Amino acid sequence: MKWMKFKIKTTTQAEDVLISALCDLGFEGAQIEDKVPLTALEKEQMFVDILPEGPEDDGVAYLSFFVEENENGSPVFGGEETSEEALLSMVREELESWRDFLDIGEGSVTVDETEDVDWINNWKQYFHQFYIDDVLVIPSWEEVPPQSGDGLVLHIDPGTAFGTGMHETTQLCIRQLRKYITPETELLDVGTGSGILSILSLMFGAKHAVGTDLDPCAVDAVAQNCRDNQIAPEQFEMFIGNIITEKEVQDRVGYDRYDIVVANILADVLVPLTPVIVRQLKKGGYYITSGIIDDKEQTVVDAVKAAGLTVVEVTYQGEWVSVTARKD
């Protein structure tokens, strides 16, 4: 499918107003490109897994809107065929109407064409092989270097599911898992995403893993990543559903059977998850959590204690926190 892309050069100050104004006209799918650093709250809400370092904020913003093209190459707007010139005129007129009230900067508009494939694969330019301690993490489109030696090599392709290992929260979990895994470990991975934590746990020597996720995309991502890392299907089971609210998922996962439950999820989800997970853990089992921005540490610690678990360790990386607890 092809789309006509209208790209506006404006200011960060004008972003929200112009997006709202153009959406009122019928434009959809706003894309923002700027150099404004993410706030702590935005990082927590977005749970960014692949984020390149960017330059300093210069106050410039680019807003892109996408209009579908029909088989004749003409844009379709509001359900009707129109022309590039008509849409361009509409956008420019709207921009100019705001100049007396708002600093919209240059306000120039360019028109280009794009395809869905660009959006699907564009993120790959930011994901290259890297190490987590002695573990080489490598995507499917890169080759293992000959100097990698005898260390573990994790082949990971997240596709549309979260989890490459680049994010600090994932690395915090990996290090904690490595401390507590034994050859008898039964693992439950809540919010498994690409399956990276479960797959690495099995590579570290765990006996068996079960993953749950809300996103059906996780099923295909996990299956492919298991094949890429020679993980047998019987070693890793996947369930789709909400383990917090759905008793059917809780029953299928099972009770009092896991030596480790790992949950790399946002703090606001960990709070209601924790009293549920206690029933899945064996006595003496460990609950490894991450996805916690630093100012939410105490919130999660309090939730863990309220559920009757004992905090055994809190670890940090950047702005992120991992809380590990035990069921006594």
Side-chain angles (χ1 to χ4, degrees), residues 61-84:
Y62 293 90
L63 308 180
S64 296
F65 296 85
F66 300 87
V67 178
E68 186 178 345
E69 294 181 353
N70 62 18
E71 63 230 10
N72 300 320
S74 299
V76 178
F77 188 77
E80 298 183 2
E81 182 176 313
T82 183
S83 67
E84 176 184 324

PDB file of all heavy atoms in Angstrom, residues 61-84:
ATOM      1  N   ALA A  61      10.850  21.023  14.821  1.00  0.00           N
ATOM      2  CA  ALA A  61      10.061  19.791  14.778  1.00  0.00           C
ATOM      3  C   ALA A  61       9.556  19.552  13.359  1.00  0.00           C
ATOM      4  O   ALA A  61       9.268  20.509  12.622  1.00  0.00           O
ATOM      5  CB  ALA A  61       8.884  19.873  15.746  1.00  0.00           C
ATOM      6  N   TYR A  62       9.453  18.284  12.988  1.00  0.00           N
ATOM      7  CA  TYR A  62       8.862  17.896  11.717  1.00  0.00           C
ATOM      8  C   TYR A  62       7.620  17.058  12.011  1.00  0.00           C
ATOM      9  O   TYR A  62       7.685  16.064  12.750  1.00  0.00           O
ATOM     10  CB  TYR A  62       9.855  17.077  10.882  1.00  0.00           C
ATOM     11  CG  TYR A  62      11.053  17.874  10.407  1.00  0.00           C
ATOM     12  CD1 TYR A  62      12.211  17.945  11.179  1.00  0.00           C
ATOM     13  CD2 TYR A  62      11.021  18.560   9.193  1.00  0.00           C
ATOM     14  CE1 TYR A  62      13.314  18.677  10.750  1.00  0.00           C
ATOM     15  CE2 TYR A  62      12.119  19.292   8.759  1.00  0.00           C
ATOM     16  CZ  TYR A  62      13.261  19.354   9.545  1.00  0.00           C
ATOM     17  OH  TYR A  62      14.342  20.081   9.115  1.00  0.00           O
ATOM     18  N   LEU A  63       6.501  17.479  11.434  1.00  0.00           N
ATOM     19  CA  LEU A  63       5.239  16.750  11.596  1.00  0.00           C
ATOM     20  C   LEU A  63       4.864  16.129  10.263  1.00  0.00           C
ATOM     21  O   LEU A  63       4.806  16.829   9.248  1.00  0.00           O
ATOM     22  CB  LEU A  63       4.124  17.699  12.050  1.00  0.00           C
ATOM     23  CG  LEU A  63       4.394  18.576  13.273  1.00  0.00           C
ATOM     24  CD1 LEU A  63       3.182  19.445  13.567  1.00  0.00           C
ATOM     25  CD2 LEU A  63       4.761  17.731  14.474  1.00  0.00           C
ATOM     26  N   SER A  64       4.631  14.830  10.260  1.00  0.00           N
ATOM     27  CA  SER A  64       4.259  14.142   9.023  1.00  0.00           C
ATOM     28  C   SER A  64       2.854  13.562   9.149  1.00  0.00           C
ATOM     29  O   SER A  64       2.496  12.992  10.182  1.00  0.00           O
ATOM     30  CB  SER A  64       5.250  13.018   8.714  1.00  0.00           C
ATOM     31  OG  SER A  64       6.544  13.543   8.464  1.00  0.00           O
ATOM     32  N   PHE A  65       2.076  13.726   8.080  1.00  0.00           N
ATOM     33  CA  PHE A  65       0.732  13.167   8.000  1.00  0.00           C
ATOM     34  C   PHE A  65       0.649  12.318   6.738  1.00  0.00           C
ATOM     35  O   PHE A  65       1.233  12.657   5.703  1.00  0.00           O
ATOM     36  CB  PHE A  65      -0.318  14.284   7.955  1.00  0.00           C
ATOM     37  CG  PHE A  65      -0.358  15.109   9.210  1.00  0.00           C
ATOM     38  CD1 PHE A  65       0.508  16.183   9.380  1.00  0.00           C
ATOM     39  CD2 PHE A  65      -1.256  14.810  10.220  1.00  0.00           C
ATOM     40  CE1 PHE A  65       0.475  16.948  10.529  1.00  0.00           C
ATOM     41  CE2 PHE A  65      -1.296  15.572  11.385  1.00  0.00           C
ATOM     42  CZ  PHE A  65      -0.433  16.632  11.545  1.00  0.00           C
ATOM     43  N   PHE A  66      -0.094  11.222   6.818  1.00  0.00           N
ATOM     44  CA  PHE A  66      -0.117  10.250   5.728  1.00  0.00           C
ATOM     45  C   PHE A  66      -1.524  10.139   5.143  1.00  0.00           C
ATOM     46  O   PHE A  66      -2.507   9.981   5.877  1.00  0.00           O
ATOM     47  CB  PHE A  66       0.366   8.888   6.213  1.00  0.00           C
ATOM     48  CG  PHE A  66       1.772   8.924   6.753  1.00  0.00           C
ATOM     49  CD1 PHE A  66       2.015   9.243   8.089  1.00  0.00           C
ATOM     50  CD2 PHE A  66       2.848   8.684   5.928  1.00  0.00           C
ATOM     51  CE1 PHE A  66       3.301   9.295   8.587  1.00  0.00           C
ATOM     52  CE2 PHE A  66       4.147   8.736   6.418  1.00  0.00           C
ATOM     53  CZ  PHE A  66       4.373   9.044   7.747  1.00  0.00           C
ATOM     54  N   VAL A  67      -1.610  10.198   3.825  1.00  0.00           N
ATOM     55  CA  VAL A  67      -2.881  10.071   3.112  1.00  0.00           C
ATOM     56  C   VAL A  67      -2.752   8.903   2.131  1.00  0.00           C
ATOM     57  O   VAL A  67      -1.831   8.868   1.309  1.00  0.00           O
ATOM     58  CB  VAL A  67      -3.234  11.370   2.356  1.00  0.00           C
ATOM     59  CG1 VAL A  67      -4.538  11.190   1.580  1.00  0.00           C
ATOM     60  CG2 VAL A  67      -3.335  12.541   3.335  1.00  0.00           C
ATOM     61  N   GLU A  68      -3.675   7.963   2.224  1.00  0.00           N
ATOM     62  CA  GLU A  68      -3.619   6.776   1.371  1.00  0.00           C
ATOM     63  C   GLU A  68      -3.855   7.130  -0.093  1.00  0.00           C
ATOM     64  O   GLU A  68      -4.647   8.021  -0.413  1.00  0.00           O
ATOM     65  CB  GLU A  68      -4.677   5.773   1.841  1.00  0.00           C
ATOM     66  CG  GLU A  68      -4.620   4.430   1.135  1.00  0.00           C
ATOM     67  CD  GLU A  68      -5.653   3.461   1.676  1.00  0.00           C
ATOM     68  OE1 GLU A  68      -6.217   3.721   2.757  1.00  0.00           O
ATOM     69  OE2 GLU A  68      -5.893   2.442   1.002  1.00  0.00           O
ATOM     70  N   GLU A  69      -3.133   6.409  -0.972  1.00  0.00           N
ATOM     71  CA  GLU A  69      -3.327   6.578  -2.411  1.00  0.00           C
ATOM     72  C   GLU A  69      -4.135   5.415  -2.968  1.00  0.00           C
ATOM     73  O   GLU A  69      -4.002   4.275  -2.495  1.00  0.00           O
ATOM     74  CB  GLU A  69      -1.980   6.639  -3.131  1.00  0.00           C
ATOM     75  CG  GLU A  69      -1.139   7.860  -2.790  1.00  0.00           C
ATOM     76  CD  GLU A  69       0.178   7.873  -3.552  1.00  0.00           C
ATOM     77  OE1 GLU A  69       0.477   6.869  -4.230  1.00  0.00           O
ATOM     78  OE2 GLU A  69       0.906   8.879  -3.474  1.00  0.00           O
ATOM     79  N   ASN A  70      -4.946   5.688  -3.977  1.00  0.00           N
ATOM     80  CA  ASN A  70      -5.674   4.598  -4.642  1.00  0.00           C
ATOM     81  C   ASN A  70      -4.822   3.996  -5.748  1.00  0.00           C
ATOM     82  O   ASN A  70      -3.664   4.375  -5.930  1.00  0.00           O
ATOM     83  CB  ASN A  70      -7.032   5.085  -5.163  1.00  0.00           C
ATOM     84  CG  ASN A  70      -6.897   6.191  -6.210  1.00  0.00           C
ATOM     85  OD1 ASN A  70      -5.844   6.387  -6.810  1.00  0.00           O
ATOM     86  ND2 ASN A  70      -7.981   6.923  -6.430  1.00  0.00           N
ATOM     87  N   GLU A  71      -5.394   3.069  -6.510  1.00  0.00           N
ATOM     88  CA  GLU A  71      -4.620   2.369  -7.544  1.00  0.00           C
ATOM     89  C   GLU A  71      -4.161   3.295  -8.665  1.00  0.00           C
ATOM     90  O   GLU A  71      -3.237   2.965  -9.420  1.00  0.00           O
ATOM     91  CB  GLU A  71      -5.459   1.225  -8.145  1.00  0.00           C
ATOM     92  CG  GLU A  71      -6.693   1.720  -8.832  1.00  0.00           C
ATOM     93  CD  GLU A  71      -7.954   0.975  -8.382  1.00  0.00           C
ATOM     94  OE1 GLU A  71      -7.904   0.222  -7.431  1.00  0.00           O
ATOM     95  OE2 GLU A  71      -8.961   1.176  -9.040  1.00  0.00           O
ATOM     96  N   ASN A  72      -4.804   4.451  -8.776  1.00  0.00           N
ATOM     97  CA  ASN A  72      -4.402   5.421  -9.808  1.00  0.00           C
ATOM     98  C   ASN A  72      -3.308   6.365  -9.320  1.00  0.00           C
ATOM     99  O   ASN A  72      -2.866   7.243 -10.076  1.00  0.00           O
ATOM    100  CB  ASN A  72      -5.615   6.255 -10.256  1.00  0.00           C
ATOM    101  CG  ASN A  72      -6.721   5.394 -10.833  1.00  0.00           C
ATOM    102  OD1 ASN A  72      -6.452   4.440 -11.555  1.00  0.00           O
ATOM    103  ND2 ASN A  72      -7.965   5.736 -10.507  1.00  0.00           N
ATOM    104  N   GLY A  73      -2.907   6.199  -8.059  1.00  0.00           N
ATOM    105  CA  GLY A  73      -1.877   7.064  -7.514  1.00  0.00           C
ATOM    106  C   GLY A  73      -2.406   8.383  -6.991  1.00  0.00           C
ATOM    107  O   GLY A  73      -1.633   9.288  -6.671  1.00  0.00           O
ATOM    108  N   SER A  74      -3.728   8.501  -6.897  1.00  0.00           N
ATOM    109  CA  SER A  74      -4.334   9.735  -6.386  1.00  0.00           C
ATOM    110  C   SER A  74      -4.620   9.591  -4.894  1.00  0.00           C
ATOM    111  O   SER A  74      -5.024   8.513  -4.437  1.00  0.00           O
ATOM    112  CB  SER A  74      -5.647  10.042  -7.123  1.00  0.00           C
ATOM    113  OG  SER A  74      -5.404  10.236  -8.499  1.00  0.00           O
ATOM    114  N   PRO A  75      -4.450  10.665  -4.113  1.00  0.00           N
ATOM    115  CA  PRO A  75      -4.753  10.579  -2.687  1.00  0.00           C
ATOM    116  C   PRO A  75      -6.252  10.457  -2.440  1.00  0.00           C
ATOM    117  O   PRO A  75      -7.061  11.029  -3.185  1.00  0.00           O
ATOM    118  CB  PRO A  75      -4.197  11.894  -2.127  1.00  0.00           C
ATOM    119  CG  PRO A  75      -4.178  12.831  -3.285  1.00  0.00           C
ATOM    120  CD  PRO A  75      -3.927  11.985  -4.500  1.00  0.00           C
ATOM    121  N   VAL A  76      -6.597   9.709  -1.399  1.00  0.00           N
ATOM    122  CA  VAL A  76      -7.995   9.550  -0.994  1.00  0.00           C
ATOM    123  C   VAL A  76      -8.138  10.185   0.379  1.00  0.00           C
ATOM    124  O   VAL A  76      -7.539   9.729   1.354  1.00  0.00           O
ATOM    125  CB  VAL A  76      -8.407   8.066  -0.948  1.00  0.00           C
ATOM    126  CG1 VAL A  76      -9.850   7.941  -0.463  1.00  0.00           C
ATOM    127  CG2 VAL A  76      -8.227   7.422  -2.302  1.00  0.00           C
ATOM    128  N   PHE A  77      -8.947  11.250   0.456  1.00  0.00           N
ATOM    129  CA  PHE A  77      -9.063  12.027   1.691  1.00  0.00           C
ATOM    130  C   PHE A  77     -10.538  12.157   2.046  1.00  0.00           C
ATOM    131  O   PHE A  77     -11.340  12.591   1.218  1.00  0.00           O
ATOM    132  CB  PHE A  77      -8.432  13.411   1.496  1.00  0.00           C
ATOM    133  CG  PHE A  77      -8.314  14.234   2.741  1.00  0.00           C
ATOM    134  CD1 PHE A  77      -7.318  13.965   3.679  1.00  0.00           C
ATOM    135  CD2 PHE A  77      -9.198  15.276   2.986  1.00  0.00           C
ATOM    136  CE1 PHE A  77      -7.199  14.734   4.824  1.00  0.00           C
ATOM    137  CE2 PHE A  77      -9.081  16.049   4.128  1.00  0.00           C
ATOM    138  CZ  PHE A  77      -8.086  15.778   5.051  1.00  0.00           C
ATOM    139  N   GLY A  78     -10.888  11.751   3.266  1.00  0.00           N
ATOM    140  CA  GLY A  78     -12.295  11.796   3.663  1.00  0.00           C
ATOM    141  C   GLY A  78     -13.170  10.885   2.837  1.00  0.00           C
ATOM    142  O   GLY A  78     -14.354  11.147   2.643  1.00  0.00           O
ATOM    143  N   GLY A  79     -12.561   9.804   2.340  1.00  0.00           N
ATOM    144  CA  GLY A  79     -13.318   8.839   1.544  1.00  0.00           C
ATOM    145  C   GLY A  79     -13.475   9.210   0.085  1.00  0.00           C
ATOM    146  O   GLY A  79     -14.095   8.465  -0.683  1.00  0.00           O
ATOM    147  N   GLU A  80     -12.915  10.348  -0.329  1.00  0.00           N
ATOM    148  CA  GLU A  80     -13.058  10.780  -1.716  1.00  0.00           C
ATOM    149  C   GLU A  80     -11.704  11.029  -2.363  1.00  0.00           C
ATOM    150  O   GLU A  80     -10.762  11.470  -1.703  1.00  0.00           O
ATOM    151  CB  GLU A  80     -13.892  12.063  -1.779  1.00  0.00           C
ATOM    152  CG  GLU A  80     -15.311  11.884  -1.261  1.00  0.00           C
ATOM    153  CD  GLU A  80     -16.135  13.152  -1.398  1.00  0.00           C
ATOM    154  OE1 GLU A  80     -15.581  14.144  -1.934  1.00  0.00           O
ATOM    155  OE2 GLU A  80     -17.298  13.151  -0.979  1.00  0.00           O
ATOM    156  N   GLU A  81     -11.640  10.757  -3.670  1.00  0.00           N
ATOM    157  CA  GLU A  81     -10.407  11.022  -4.410  1.00  0.00           C
ATOM    158  C   GLU A  81     -10.195  12.529  -4.536  1.00  0.00           C
ATOM    159  O   GLU A  81     -11.138  13.286  -4.799  1.00  0.00           O
ATOM    160  CB  GLU A  81     -10.487  10.384  -5.801  1.00  0.00           C
ATOM    161  CG  GLU A  81      -9.215  10.582  -6.619  1.00  0.00           C
ATOM    162  CD  GLU A  81      -9.276   9.868  -7.960  1.00  0.00           C
ATOM    163  OE1 GLU A  81      -9.667   8.682  -7.985  1.00  0.00           O
ATOM    164  OE2 GLU A  81      -8.936  10.516  -8.970  1.00  0.00           O
ATOM    165  N   THR A  82      -8.961  12.962  -4.336  1.00  0.00           N
ATOM    166  CA  THR A  82      -8.637  14.384  -4.458  1.00  0.00           C
ATOM    167  C   THR A  82      -7.284  14.507  -5.149  1.00  0.00           C
ATOM    168  O   THR A  82      -6.838  13.569  -5.811  1.00  0.00           O
ATOM    169  CB  THR A  82      -8.644  15.067  -3.062  1.00  0.00           C
ATOM    170  OG1 THR A  82      -8.393  16.464  -3.229  1.00  0.00           O
ATOM    171  CG2 THR A  82      -7.619  14.470  -2.132  1.00  0.00           C
ATOM    172  N   SER A  83      -6.621  15.646  -4.995  1.00  0.00           N
ATOM    173  CA  SER A  83      -5.328  15.844  -5.648  1.00  0.00           C
ATOM    174  C   SER A  83      -4.297  16.302  -4.637  1.00  0.00           C
ATOM    175  O   SER A  83      -4.632  16.855  -3.575  1.00  0.00           O
ATOM    176  CB  SER A  83      -5.445  16.891  -6.756  1.00  0.00           C
ATOM    177  OG  SER A  83      -5.709  18.169  -6.204  1.00  0.00           O
ATOM    178  N   GLU A  84      -3.044  16.085  -4.987  1.00  0.00           N
ATOM    179  CA  GLU A  84      -1.948  16.554  -4.138  1.00  0.00           C
ATOM    180  C   GLU A  84      -2.014  18.066  -3.955  1.00  0.00           C
ATOM    181  O   GLU A  84      -1.822  18.582  -2.854  1.00  0.00           O
ATOM    182  CB  GLU A  84      -0.610  16.156  -4.758  1.00  0.00           C
ATOM    183  CG  GLU A  84       0.605  16.680  -4.008  1.00  0.00           C
ATOM    184  CD  GLU A  84       1.903  16.335  -4.723  1.00  0.00           C
ATOM    185  OE1 GLU A  84       1.999  15.234  -5.318  1.00  0.00           O
ATOM    186  OE2 GLU A  84       2.830  17.178  -4.689  1.00  0.00           O
TER     187      GLU A  84
END
